[in-house]
C-alpha cells in the first residue's frame, strides 16, 4: 500500500462540508468588504521568494520545496501567498487600474517543516492583499476584516499589534539591538546566533525560553520610530479604538518575513493550553519595488485554514452536514429502476436533492441505507405503483405517509 506523504492530509467526503462552511464565510465577508479573488500559480520561479520573502528567513533557508524542472529552471512550490500576488500585480499592470486594488486568495502553500496541530507541510491559506494606499485606515480595515471572520467562527482571540518602522528607523534600531544582543549571544540558541548577522530582528521572535528572557530587556523598536512611522502607528491605534477593536501593543512582534514595514499584527488563540497564531499580517510597502515594480504601498494578512477549522470545531463555530438526498426513490424490480431514475432526474431539475439505488439492494436494505444518510422522504416504486400511476411518500421524521399521483410528485416535493 502507498501511504499519504508525511505532513499532508486527505479531506474526506464526510468532512468537506466543514471546509465549504468556512470558505463560504470568507467569500461572503470579502464580498461585503468589496474584495475580489485572485488566483496565482502553485509554483513560481525560486528567485521570486529569494527577493520577496528574503534569503535570511526560515522559510527560504529551511522550508521551501525547490526543484529544477526539465528546462533546468529553479522552481519553488509557493510557501506563502503574498509574493505571488505581488508578482501578478506587477506583471498584469494592476497599478494602472483604480487604486486601491483589494484582493484575496484561498490557496495551498507548501513548507517543509515539522507537522503540528493545524499546520501541515501542505496547508491552505486565506490571504488578503490591499495595494495602493499607505493610509492607516486601510491597515485598520484589513485587521477588522480578519477580526470579523474570527468572530463569526466563534474563535476567541487576542489581537497584538506593533510597528517595525520603515527602512530608515529600522536601521537605527538594528544597530541598537545588535549592540544589546552581542554580549548575550553565548547564552542564546544556534538559530539566534545565525540570525544575528543575517536578520537580527527575527531574534525577537525566538521561542527558546532563554532567548525570550534575554529579549525582554532588549531595546523596543517603537522607541526608535521616525515621526512618520510613529504618526502612522498612533493613527492606527486611534482608528481601532474608535471602532471598539481591542488590541495590545506588543513590541516583540516582528513577523517572519523580510518584506514587512510599519504595521505588523497577530491574532492569538488558545487551544489545549497552547497559544496558536491564527492570523498574521501587516504592511509591506517595499515588496513590489523589491521584485521589479514601481514603489507601491500594500497591507494584508495570511490565515491558515487548517488551524481555523481546528479552532472553530472546538468552539462549535462550524455547522452543516455532508450533502445528502432530501428524497430517496427506492425501486422494486427492473422496470421500477427506470421509473425511479427518471423521477430522480426530474426532481434534480426542479432543484431537489434526490437519489436512488445503484447497488441492487432489497427494499429493506434500501430503507436502512436511506435512514443512515438522513433522508427526509422515501418513495417506494414497484409494479403496482407503476400500474396505478401513484406513489406513497413516507416522511422519515414524522413517520406520516401519503399517496400522490406519480405525475404530481415533482410539484408536491418542490413546494
Amino acid at each position: 500500500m502507498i501511504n499519504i506523504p508525511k505532513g499532508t492530509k486527505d479531506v474526506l467526503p464526510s468532512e468537506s462540508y466543514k471546509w465549504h462552511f468556512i470558505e463560504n464565510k470568507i467569500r461572503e465577508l470579502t464580498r461585503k468588504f468589496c474584495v475580489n479573488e485572485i488566483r496565482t500559480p502553485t509554483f513560481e520561479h525560486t528567485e521570486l521568494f529569494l527577493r520577496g520573502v528574503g534569503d535570511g528567513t526560515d522559510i527560504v533557508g529551511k522550508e521551501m520545496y525547490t526543484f529544477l524542472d526539465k528546462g533546468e529552471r529553479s522552481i519553488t512550490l509557493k510557501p506563502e501567498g503574498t509574493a505571488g500576488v505581488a508578482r501578478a500585480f506587477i506583471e498584469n499592470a494592476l497599478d494602472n487600474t483604480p487604486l486601491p486594488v483589494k484582493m484575496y486568495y484561498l490557496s495551498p502553500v507548501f513548507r517543509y517543516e515539522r507537522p503540528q496541530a493545524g499546520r501541515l507541510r501542505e496547508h491552505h491559506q486565506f490571504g488578503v492583499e490591499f495595494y495602493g494606499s499607505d493610509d492607516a485606515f486601510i491597515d485598520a480595515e484589513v485587521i477588522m476584516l480578519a477580526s470579523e471572520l474570527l468572530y463569526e467562527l466563534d474563535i476567541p482571540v487576542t489581537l497584538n499589534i506593533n510597528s517595525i518602522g520603515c527602512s530608515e528607523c529600522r536601521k537605527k534600531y538594528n544597530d541598537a539591538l545588535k549592540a544589546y544582543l552581542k554580549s548575550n549571544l553565548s547564552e542564546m540558541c544556534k538559530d539566534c546566533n545565525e540570525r544575528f548577522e543575517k536578520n537580527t530582528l527575527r531574534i525577537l521572535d525566538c521561542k527558546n525560553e532563554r532567548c525570550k528572557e534575554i529579549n525582554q530587556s532588549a531595546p523596543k523598536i517603537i522607541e526608535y520610530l521616525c515621526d512618520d512611522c510613529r504618526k502612522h502607528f498612533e493613527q492606527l491605534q486611534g482608528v481601532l479604538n474608535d471602532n471598539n477593536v481591542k488590541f495590545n501593543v506588543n513590541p516583540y512582534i516582528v513577523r517572519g518575513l523580510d518584506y514587512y514595514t510599519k504595521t505588523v499584527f497577530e491574532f492569538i488563540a488558545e487551544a489545549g493550553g497552547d497559544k496558536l497564531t491564527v492570523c498574521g499580517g501587516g504592511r509591506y510597502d517595499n515588496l513590489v519595488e523589491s521584485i521589479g515594480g514601481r514603489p507601491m504601498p500594500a497591507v494584508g494578512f495570511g490565515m491558515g485554514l487548517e488551524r481555523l477549522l481546528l479552532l472553530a470545531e472546538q468552539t462549535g463555530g462550524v455547522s452543516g452536514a455532508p450533502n445528502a438526498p432530501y428524497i430517496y426513490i427506492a425501486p422494486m424490480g427492473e422496470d421500477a429502476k427506470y421509473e425511479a431514475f427518471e423521477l430522480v432526474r426530474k426532481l434534480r431539475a426542479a432543484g431537489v436533492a434526490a437519489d436512488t439505488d445503484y447497488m441492487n439492494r432489497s427494499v429493506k436494505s434500501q430503507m436502512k441505507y436511506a435512514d443512515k444518510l438522513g433522508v427526509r422522504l422515501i418513495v417506494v416504486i414497484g409494479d403496482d405503483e407503476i400500474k396505478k400511476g401513484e406513489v406513497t411518500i413516507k416522511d422519515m421524521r414524522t413517520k406520516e405517509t401519503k399517496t400522490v399521483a406519480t405525475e404530481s410528485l415533482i410539484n408536491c416535493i418542490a413546494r
Side-chain angles (χ1 to χ4, degrees):
M1 176 182 172
I2 301 173
N3 295 319
I4 192 170
K6 183 178 180 180
T8 61
K9 185 179 180 181
D10 297 314
V11 178
L12 302 178
S14 60
E15 301 173 329
S16 57
Y17 76 91
K18 300 173 185 177
W19 288 75
H20 297 163
F21 179 85
I22 288 179
E23 289 164 3
N24 290 338
K25 286 279 187 185
I26 288 170
R27 295 190 190 282
E28 175 57 22
L29 186 61
T30 50
R31 183 193 65 80
K32 292 194 297 183
F33 277 75
C34 308
V35 188
N36 290 297
E37 185 177 11
I38 183 168
R39 302 187 183 191
T40 62
T42 302
F43 57 87
E44 301 269 4
H45 292 293
T46 303
E47 183 185 6
L48 174 66
F49 302 111
L50 295 177
R51 293 174 60 184
V53 177
D55 58 8
T57 62
D58 286 349
I59 289 177
V60 170
K62 302 176 181 179
E63 298 171 358
M64 294 202 313
Y65 280 88
T66 298
F67 57 93
L68 293 177
D69 67 8
K70 292 184 178 181
E72 296 296 308
R73 292 172 289 258
S74 182
I75 298 295
T76 296
L77 300 180
K78 60 182 173 185
E80 55 89 50
T82 297
V85 174
R87 190 267 313 147
F89 182 86
I90 299 167
E91 192 165 348
N92 295 280
L94 296 184
D95 55 338
N96 292 326
T97 63
L99 299 176
V101 177
K102 299 163 71 173
M103 300 170 281
Y104 79 92
Y105 59 82
L106 289 165
S107 174
V109 294
F110 305 86
R111 296 185 190 177
Y112 191 84
E113 58 184 348
R114 183 176 61 83
Q116 53 187 293
R119 173 63 63 83
L120 301 169
R121 289 178 177 175
E122 179 194 28
H123 61 280
H124 299 79
Q125 279 191 355
F126 162 47
V128 161
E129 315 278 344
F130 289 4
Y131 284 76
S133 172
D134 60 4
D135 198 315
F137 278 83
I138 207 165
D139 296 29
E141 177 166 305
V142 165
I143 290 171
M144 291 168 68
L145 191 159
S147 179
E148 187 168 335
L149 176 62
L150 295 168
Y151 175 80
E152 290 188 6
L153 293 175
D154 293 327
I155 299 174
V157 292
T158 300
L159 169 62
N160 294 321
I161 67 172
N162 190 24
S163 176
I164 58 173
C166 62
S167 57
E168 290 303 313
C169 45
R170 196 183 310 169
K171 184 179 182 303
K172 295 176 183 177
Y173 176 67
N174 267 335
D175 292 341
L177 183 61
K178 275 189 171 183
Y180 167 77
L181 292 173
K182 191 171 184 179
S183 61
N184 294 286
L185 278 178
S186 60
E187 299 180 53
M188 304 186 81
C189 70
K190 179 182 177 182
D191 285 343
C192 284
N193 274 265
E194 291 177 357
R195 290 168 181 161
F196 183 75
E197 293 298 339
K198 291 182 179 179
N199 194 338
T200 314
L201 207 60
R202 287 282 286 114
I203 292 176
L204 297 177
D205 199 33
C206 184
K207 301 301 185 288
N208 179 283
E209 288 302 322
R210 180 53 184 149
C211 296
K212 285 165 67 175
E213 288 176 13
I214 292 171
N215 288 336
Q216 288 293 318
S217 300
K220 295 176 174 58
I221 192 166
I222 53 178
E223 298 169 353
Y224 289 79
L225 297 179
C226 64
D227 290 343
D228 180 62
C229 290
R230 181 176 292 104
K231 180 180 178 182
H232 184 277
F233 191 47
E234 289 173 351
Q235 188 175 32
L236 171 62
Q237 293 177 71
V239 176
L240 293 176
N241 280 323
D242 289 346
N243 288 273
N244 300 313
V245 179
K246 295 181 179 179
F247 62 88
N248 300 317
V249 175
N250 183 342
Y252 301 105
I253 295 177
V254 294
R255 303 298 299 152
L257 309 177
D258 281 359
Y259 51 61
Y260 283 110
T261 55
K262 293 186 178 178
T263 303
V264 287
F265 63 87
E266 293 179 346
F267 285 89
I268 307 296
E270 290 197 13
D274 294 327
K275 292 185 177 182
L276 300 176
T277 302
V278 186
C279 171
R283 179 165 284 282
Y284 31 94
D285 293 344
N286 300 327
L287 175 60
V288 172
E289 187 176 11
S290 74
I291 60 172
R294 67 183 179 91
M296 181 63 57
V299 61
F301 66 72
M303 192 180 293
L305 294 187
E306 280 84 356
R307 189 161 286 183
L308 266 188
L309 184 56
L310 174 72
L311 294 166
E313 284 182 308
Q314 291 176 356
T315 61
V318 176
S319 61
N323 292 336
Y326 178 76
I327 183 170
Y328 184 88
I329 312 297
M332 293 187 296
E334 196 65 22
D335 290 343
K337 284 183 70 174
Y338 287 91
E339 184 77 12
F341 195 82
E342 184 178 358
L343 281 174
V344 165
R345 178 185 61 79
K346 291 179 178 178
L347 283 163
R348 289 170 177 167
V352 179
D355 212 345
T356 188
D357 179 55
Y358 300 104
M359 304 297 292
N360 295 316
R361 295 183 176 96
S362 66
V363 171
K364 184 178 180 181
S365 294
Q366 289 186 65
M367 299 288 275
K368 288 181 178 178
Y369 172 70
D371 190 46
K372 287 179 180 178
L373 292 181
V375 170
R376 176 66 185 273
L377 304 175
I378 293 181
V379 170
V380 177
I381 296 180
D383 293 341
D384 289 345
E385 285 77 16
I386 293 173
K387 288 177 183 177
K388 292 178 182 179
E390 61 184 28
V391 294
T392 299
I393 308 171
K394 181 177 181 179
D395 190 313
M396 297 297 286
R397 292 184 188 173
T398 66
K399 306 304 179 184
E400 296 177 353
T401 61
K402 64 178 178 180
T403 301
V404 300
T406 304
E407 62 184 18
S408 302
L409 177 64
I410 310 299
N411 290 334
C412 178
I413 300 302
R415 284 201 304 268

